[in-house]
Amino acid sequence: MPKTKTNSGTKKRFKLTGTGKIKRKHAYKSHILTKKTKKQKRNLTHFGLVSKVDEPRVKALLGI
């Protein structure tokens, strides 16, 4: 049985925490920032967690 390959795009976008959860960045922080408020941009800076429903899919792409 061959090894499963890690998806290159996925390994750049997600990181594992110490407890096994998956960290992700928020969307809408890359361009067209002039019309967004300071508060909105500041809140998008923080990391989020992948939802429980999507965790198996992301873990499969990461080869975990």
Side-chain angles (χ1 to χ4, degrees), residues 18-37:
T19 56
K21 294 176 183 171
I22 304 170
K23 279 197 311 188
R24 64 171 177 83
K25 286 192 80 171
H26 283 101
Y28 308 113
K29 184 75 198 312
S30 57
H31 61 97
I32 316 177
L33 298 172
T34 51
K35 58 178 75 170
K36 295 178 181 122
T37 63

Side-chain angles (χ1 to χ4, degrees), residues 29-50:
K29 184 75 198 312
S30 57
H31 61 97
I32 316 177
L33 298 172
T34 51
K35 58 178 75 170
K36 295 178 181 122
T37 63
K38 288 179 186 177
K39 182 179 179 180
Q40 187 179 3
K41 288 184 277 191
R42 186 172 62 244
N43 289 334
L44 289 172
T45 301
H46 306 302
F47 280 96
L49 292 173
V50 173

Side-chain angles (χ1 to χ4, degrees), residues 4 6 15-16 20-22 55-56 58-64:
T4 55
T6 303
K15 295 279 182 266
L16 276 175
K21 294 176 183 171
I22 304 170
E55 268 187 28
V58 176
K59 283 186 176 180
L61 289 169
L62 287 171
I64 300 170

